[in-house]
C-alpha cells in the first residue's frame, strides 16, 4: 500500500492475480513486468474470451471498456525476458473507469493489458466482438496491418488500406520506405480494378436493397463532402429521409504513422506526432515524450511540467474554438465560425511567440522543451485571457442559447453512459453522458494535480450537450493557463539526464565528449533501454495514448498510437440509425474529429 492509503500499481496487479486465480485456477497465466506498471498478463488463446468476459462482466469494478487492441510482430525482437515464445502478439488494453477514479495517482490504476502469443505466418484468434462490440474495427485494423485472422468476425476486411492492397505493412518483413518498392505504375486496367473494388455492395454489409414495404436508397456521403469534416465516407441506407443503416468508411487519410516510427529515431519522430490530431499541436507531443521519458527514467523539472500544461491547454482552446465554429455552422449558423477564427489567430500569436511556430511546433523534447519561455510571454498570455473570456459569454448568447440551434441539437444522436463505455467513447462525449472521468483529475500527469479547475458534466450525451461541454472546457482551460501564468516555477527547461535529447546547450559545449554526445543524440538518436510502456493523456478529443516497445535501440521496435477519433467514428451507426440525414450532419459536427487522428 502507498503512504496515502491508495493501492499501488503492484498492489492492483496482485489483486487481479488473486481474482483471476480464484476464477480460473492454474491456467498458465504469465505476468510480465512493464515500465509503465500496467498489470500485464499472457493468456492462452483458448481461454481469451472467457477471461475477457470475466473482466468485463464479473470482476468487482469491471473493465467495461476495450480501450485498445493491437499487435506486435515479435519475429526479430531481441529482448523479451520472461515472455512466452511468439511470432506475433495480440495486445488487449482494457480500462475500468471505476478503478481509475479510485486510484487518483500517477500510475496505471484502472488499466489491465492482456497478451496472446501466436505462432506461424497465418495466425488465428477468436474474435472478441461477442464480449466487446467495439472490437470490430480494431480487429479489422490488426488483420489489415498484420495479417492476423479473427475467426468469427462478421466482416473481416481491410479498413485503412485499399481493398486490393497486397501485404500487411506492420509486419517486420514489409518495407518501410517507398524506395524499397518497385516503381508505382497506374495503368487503365489497374485503375478500373481499384475503382471496382471500392464499389459499395449492400449485401456484403448485411443490408437489403428493398423489402415488401420499402424500397431503400443508398446515398454516398463523402469522402469529399464538406460536412464530412475530412476525407471520410459514409454510405447511408435510406427510407425516405430516415437513416435505417449506415457504413462509415475510413482510411483515405492513412499515412503509416506507426510504421514510420520504426525508422525514425526516438528524437526525430516528435514532428510526426504533431500531425496525428493536426489541431492538437504540442498536445500530441505530450503522451509521446512522457512515454519515452518513462522508458529512459527521466523526471522532468516542475518548470517543464507547467510549461507543457500551459501550451497543451492553449491547443485545447484552439481545437475547441474550431469545433465551436464549425459545430454552429453545421446546424445553420454562419457567423460564429468567423469570430472564432479571429480568436484562434490570437491564440496562435501567443503560441508562435513562445514556440516559434503556429499549428505544428513539435516543441516538446525528451526531457523538457526546446527552449525556455521568451521575455514578455506573461504580457501576451494575459492579453489573450482578457480577450477571450468576455467573448465566450457572447458566443454562448449567440449560439448555445439560440433557439434554432437548440431545436436542431437537443435529443439528437443521444446515448448514455453504458453505450459510451461499450463503444470506447472518451473525452467530452463520455462526460456529456454523466461519467465524471477526466484523466487530468482521475490520474493527474505533468503536474495537473496542482491546478484547480472543474470538469463539466451533463446527463445525456446528445449533440447539444457535447457542444455545451466543450464551450465550458474552453473557460476551464483559460483558468488553468492563468494559474500557469501566476505560478510559473523557476528552474531549468530541460532535465539533467544523459538521455535528455538534445542535452542543454551549455552542457553540449563544455568539451568534445559532451559535443559528441549531443551529435549522436540528434543524428542517430538516444538509445533507450529495452522495455514496454504506455502513457495516456486527456487530449483535445478524448484519451490519446502511445504504447512503445523498445528493443534497446535508437528507434522504437513498435509504436502504437491510440486515438479517440477512431473509436468515436465506429459508434456512428449505433447512435444515428432511425434519425434523419440532417441529424447526421449535426452529429458528425458534435463528435469533433479530424481524419488524421482516425487514420494515422
Amino acid at each position: 500500500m502507498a503512504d496515502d492509503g491508495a493501492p499501488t500499481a503492484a498492489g492492483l496487479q496482485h489483486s487481479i492475480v488473486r481474482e483471476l486465480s480464484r476464477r480460473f485456477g492454474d491456467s498458465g497465466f504469465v505476468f510480465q513486468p512493464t515500465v509503465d506498471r500496467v498489470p500485464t498478463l499472457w493468456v492462452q488463446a483458448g481461454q481469451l474470451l472467457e477471461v475477457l468476459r470475466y473482466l468485463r462482466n464479473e470482476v468487482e469494478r469491471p473493465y467495461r471498456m476495450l480501450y485498445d487492441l493491437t499487435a506486435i510482430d515479435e519475429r526479430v525482437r531481441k529482448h523479451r525476458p520472461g515472455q512466452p515464445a511468439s511470432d506475433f502478439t495480440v495486445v488487449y488494453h482494457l480500462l475500468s473507469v471505476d478503478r481509475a477514479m479510485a486510484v487518483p495517482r500517477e500510475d496505471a490504476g484502472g488499466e489491465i493489458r492482456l497478451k496472446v502469443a501466436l505462432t506461424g505466418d497465418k495466425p488465428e484468434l477468436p474474435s472478441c466482438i461477442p464480449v466487446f462490440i467495439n472490437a470490430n474495427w480494431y480487429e479489422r485494423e490488426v488483420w489489415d496491418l498484420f495479417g492476423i485472422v479473427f475467426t468469427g468476425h462478421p466482416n473481416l476486411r481491410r479498413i485503412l488500406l485499399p481493398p486490393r492492397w497486397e501485404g500487411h505493412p506492420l509486419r517486420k518483413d514489409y518495407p518501410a520506405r517507398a524506395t524499397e518498392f518497385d516503381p508505382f505504375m497506374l495503368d487503365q486496367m489497374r485503375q478500373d480494378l481499384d475503382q471496382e473494388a471500392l464499389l459499395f455492395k449492400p449485401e456484403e454489409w448485411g443490408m437489403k436493397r428493398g423489402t415488401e414495404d420499402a424500397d431503400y436508397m443508398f446515398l454516398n456521403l463523402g469522402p469529399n463532402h464538406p460536412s464530412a469534416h475530412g476525407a471520410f465516407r459514409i454510405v447511408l441506407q435510406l427510407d425516405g429521409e430516415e437513416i435505417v443503416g449506415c457504413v462509415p468508411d475510413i482510411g483515405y487519410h492513412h499515412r503509416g504513422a506507426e510504421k514510420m516510427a520504426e525508422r525514425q529515431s526516438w528524437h526525430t519522430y516528435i514532428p510526426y506526432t504533431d500531425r496525428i490530431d493536426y489541431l492538437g499541436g504540442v498536445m500530441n507531443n505530450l503522451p509521446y515524450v512522457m512515454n519515452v521519458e518513462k522508458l529512459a527514467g527521466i523526471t522532468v523539472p516542475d518548470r517543464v511540467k507547467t510549461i507543457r500544461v500551459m501550451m497543451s491547454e492553449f491547443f485545447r482552446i484552439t481545437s475547441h474554438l474550431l469545433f465551436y465554429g464549425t459545430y454552429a455552422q453545421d446546424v445553420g449558423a454562419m457567423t460564429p465560425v468567423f469570430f472564432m477564427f479571429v480568436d484562434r489567430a490570437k491564440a496562435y500569436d501567443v503560441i508562435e511567440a513562445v514556440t516559434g511556430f503556429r499549428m505544428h511546433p513539435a516543441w516538446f523534447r525528451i526531457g523538457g522543451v526546446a527552449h525556455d519561455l521568451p521575455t514578455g510571454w506573461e504580457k501576451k498570455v494575459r492579453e489573450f485571457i482578457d480577450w477571450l473570456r468576455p467573448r465566450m459569454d457572447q458566443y454562448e448568447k449567440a449560439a448555445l442559447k439560440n433557439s434554432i440551434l437548440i431545436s436542431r441539437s437537443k435529443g439528437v444522436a443521444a446515448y448514455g453512459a453504458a453505450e459510451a463505455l461499450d463503444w470506447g467513447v472518451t473525452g467530452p462525449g463520455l462526460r456529456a453522458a454523466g461519467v465524471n472521468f477526466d484523466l487530468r483529475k482521475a490520474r493527474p500527469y505533468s503536474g495537473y494535480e496542482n491546478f484547480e479547475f472543474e470538469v463539466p458534466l451533463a446527463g445525456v450525451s446528445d449533440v447539444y450537450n457535447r457542444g455545451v461541454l466543450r464551450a465550458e472546457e474552453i473557460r476551464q482551460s483559460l483558468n488553468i493557463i492563468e494559474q500557469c501564468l501566476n505560478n510559473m516555477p523557476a528552474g531549468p527547461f530541460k532535465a539533467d539526464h544523459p538521455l535528455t535529447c538534445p542535452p542543454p546547450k551549455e552542457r553540449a559545449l563544455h568539451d568534445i565528449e559532451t559535443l559528441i554526445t549531443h551529435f549522436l543524440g540528434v543524428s542517430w538518436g538516444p538509445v533507450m533501454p529495452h522495455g514496454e510502456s504506455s502513457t495516456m493523456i486527456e487530449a483535445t478529443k478524448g484519451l490519446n495514448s502511445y504504447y512503445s516497445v523498445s528493443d534497446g535501440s535508437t528507434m522504437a521496435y513498435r509504436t502504437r498510437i491510440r486515438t479517440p477519433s477512431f473509436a468515436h467514428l465506429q459508434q456512428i451507426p449505433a447512435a444515428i440509425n432511425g434519425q434523419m440525414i440532417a441529424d447526421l450532419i449535426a452529429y458528425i459536427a458534435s463528435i469533433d474529429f479530424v481524419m488524421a487522428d482516425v487514420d494515422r
Side-chain angles (χ1 to χ4, degrees):
M1 300 294 286
D3 292 340
D4 58 3
T8 64
L12 283 170
Q13 176 166 318
H14 295 154
S15 172
I16 292 166
V17 172
R18 290 193 297 270
E19 292 178 59
L20 289 171
S21 297
R22 282 196 298 267
R23 175 63 175 79
F24 297 99
D26 184 13
S27 301
F29 295 128
V30 176
F31 290 87
Q32 175 191 339
T34 57
V35 177
D36 56 13
R37 299 184 299 169
V38 172
T40 300
L41 55 112
W42 293 76
V43 179
Q44 299 292 330
Q47 281 196 310
L48 173 65
L49 296 187
E50 194 177 359
V51 173
L52 288 174
R53 192 173 286 112
Y54 174 73
L55 290 172
R56 184 189 184 278
N57 300 323
E58 300 178 34
V59 72
E60 183 183 359
R61 292 184 297 184
Y63 294 86
R64 285 290 309 278
M65 183 185 294
L66 175 63
Y67 175 72
D68 196 17
L69 194 168
T70 188
I72 306 169
D73 183 346
E74 306 274 17
R75 291 175 295 177
V76 296
R77 188 173 168 191
K78 299 176 182 177
H79 300 283
R80 302 183 67 241
Q83 301 180 35
S86 172
D87 291 326
F88 296 91
T89 300
V90 178
V91 184
Y92 298 80
H93 197 150
L94 310 185
L95 177 65
S96 167
V97 170
D98 292 336
R99 287 175 182 251
M101 295 296 290
V103 187
R105 296 167 44 81
E106 192 175 353
D107 62 25
E111 299 173 65
I112 186 171
R113 187 182 293 128
L114 303 183
K115 290 186 171 186
V116 182
L118 301 175
T119 58
D121 193 56
K122 297 180 180 179
E124 294 187 1
L125 197 61
S127 170
C128 69
I129 294 176
V131 183
F132 290 103
I133 192 171
N134 67 322
N136 190 317
W137 277 20
Y138 291 103
E139 290 180 348
R140 286 177 60 192
E141 181 184 356
V142 170
W143 179 83
D144 194 3
L145 302 181
F146 287 93
I148 297 172
V149 174
F150 292 90
T151 56
H153 191 288
N155 208 333
L156 194 63
R157 59 173 63 217
R158 294 201 183 269
I159 186 169
L160 295 179
L161 299 174
R164 297 182 64 248
W165 192 274
E166 296 180 0
H168 303 284
L170 285 184
R171 289 192 170 200
K172 290 298 181 179
D173 52 8
Y174 194 94
R177 298 180 184 275
T179 52
E180 300 176 64
F181 291 91
D182 294 333
F184 178 76
M185 302 294 291
L186 182 62
D187 55 27
Q188 189 61 48
M189 178 180 289
R190 180 169 184 168
Q191 183 173 340
D192 292 343
L193 290 172
D194 287 345
Q195 290 295 319
E196 175 66 23
L198 289 171
L199 185 65
F200 181 78
K201 299 178 178 65
E203 295 79 9
E204 294 179 353
W205 297 91
M207 294 179 172
K208 295 182 179 179
R209 296 181 183 272
T211 65
E212 294 181 359
D213 301 321
D215 186 17
Y216 299 127
M217 178 176 72
F218 291 88
L219 178 66
N220 200 64
L221 180 70
N224 295 307
H225 193 285
S227 293
H229 288 251
F232 176 43
R233 176 191 185 203
I234 310 180
V235 181
L236 303 174
Q237 182 185 24
L238 300 174
D239 183 4
E241 281 282 318
E242 182 183 344
I243 300 170
V244 295
C246 68
V247 176
D249 183 24
I250 65 173
Y252 298 94
H253 210 305
H254 180 62
R255 297 148 297 154
E258 295 180 8
K259 185 72 171 182
M260 286 188 280
E262 298 175 11
R263 61 173 176 81
Q264 294 290 327
S265 76
W266 297 101
H267 172 66
T268 59
Y269 189 65
I270 292 173
Y272 290 84
T273 67
D274 283 68
R275 289 146 178 90
I276 302 301
D277 169 13
Y278 53 70
L279 298 177
V282 297
M283 191 175 283
N284 291 280
N285 305 161
L286 187 57
Y288 174 73
V289 297
M290 288 175 60
N291 201 41
V292 177
E293 286 161 3
K294 280 185 187 177
L295 289 169
I298 298 173
T299 300
V300 299
D302 288 341
R303 183 173 180 84
V304 172
K305 292 180 180 180
T306 309
I307 291 173
R308 287 176 174 179
V309 166
M310 182 175 74
M311 300 313 299
S312 295
E313 294 303 324
F314 259 103
F315 273 100
R316 192 185 308 277
I317 289 173
T318 58
S319 178
H320 279 14
L321 282 171
L322 182 62
F323 158 81
Y324 207 167
T326 55
Y327 164 83
Q329 188 176 41
D330 280 355
V331 295
M334 292 295 295
T335 306
V337 70
F338 297 106
F339 285 91
M340 291 167 192
F341 263 83
V342 171
D343 298 338
R344 289 179 78 238
K346 288 185 176 294
Y348 283 132
D349 288 343
V350 181
I351 292 167
E352 184 179 19
V354 171
T355 68
F357 299 88
R358 294 176 79 83
M359 285 191 69
H360 303 134
W363 192 63
F364 292 173
R365 295 289 182 269
I366 300 168
V369 293
H371 50 77
D372 207 350
L373 295 171
T375 303
W377 70 272
E378 301 97 330
K379 181 174 184 292
K380 282 189 169 291
V381 171
R382 173 60 66 190
E383 288 174 349
F384 176 75
I385 295 171
D386 293 342
W387 163 269
L388 190 56
R389 272 181 173 152
R391 302 267 288 191
M392 292 302 300
D393 296 333
Q394 297 171 21
Y395 298 153
E396 182 176 3
K397 182 178 180 181
L400 293 179
K401 292 185 178 179
N402 183 291
S403 60
I404 297 176
L405 186 146
I406 292 172
S407 63
R408 286 279 287 108
S409 60
K410 275 202 170 182
V412 174
Y415 53 83
E419 295 90 341
L421 294 171
D422 286 346
W423 287 103
V425 176
T426 56
L430 178 63
R431 293 188 287 274
V435 180
N436 187 5
F437 182 67
D438 184 317
L439 202 69
R440 297 171 296 173
K441 288 281 192 182
R443 290 212 332 248
Y445 54 90
S446 194
Y448 269 108
E449 64 274 12
N450 301 318
F451 294 88
E452 294 182 5
F453 62 97
E454 297 177 2
V455 177
L457 298 171
V460 62
S461 188
D462 61 9
V463 169
Y464 182 73
N465 284 333
R466 290 190 283 271
V468 170
L469 258 66
R470 287 185 177 88
E472 181 56 32
E473 285 189 357
I474 294 175
R475 292 190 175 97
Q476 297 304 319
S477 291
L478 288 171
N479 292 341
I480 294 171
I481 291 171
E482 186 173 43
Q483 292 173 63
C484 293
L485 173 65
N486 295 333
N487 302 284
M488 180 62 67
F493 62 91
K494 283 186 178 178
D496 185 12
H497 189 281
L499 291 177
T500 294
C501 186
K505 186 171 290 186
E506 59 272 14
R507 174 147 39 98
L509 299 179
H510 187 263
D511 51 41
I512 187 62
E513 284 77 13
T514 55
L515 187 60
I516 290 173
T517 301
H518 179 282
F519 175 78
L520 293 177
V522 173
S523 57
W524 292 1
V527 177
M528 293 296 154
H530 66 83
E532 300 179 21
S533 179
S534 65
T535 298
M536 67 172 65
I537 68 162
E538 190 69 48
T540 61
K541 295 164 176 57
L543 294 184
N544 175 213
S545 64
Y546 279 76
Y547 173 43
S548 300
V549 178
S550 173
D551 206 24
S553 172
T554 59
M555 298 175 288
Y557 183 85
R558 171 80 172 101
T559 294
R560 166 63 176 171
I561 310 170
R562 193 276 182 189
T563 63
S565 299
F566 184 87
H568 296 169
L569 293 199
Q570 185 180 191
Q571 187 196 13
I572 288 177
I576 202 63
N577 285 352
Q579 300 183 60
M580 302 296 174
I581 297 176
D583 296 330
L584 172 65
I585 304 304
Y587 174 38
I588 289 175
S590 76
I591 296 174
D592 185 23
F593 65 92
V594 295
M595 287 310 298
D597 197 49
V598 179
D599 293 343
R600 290 152 282 130

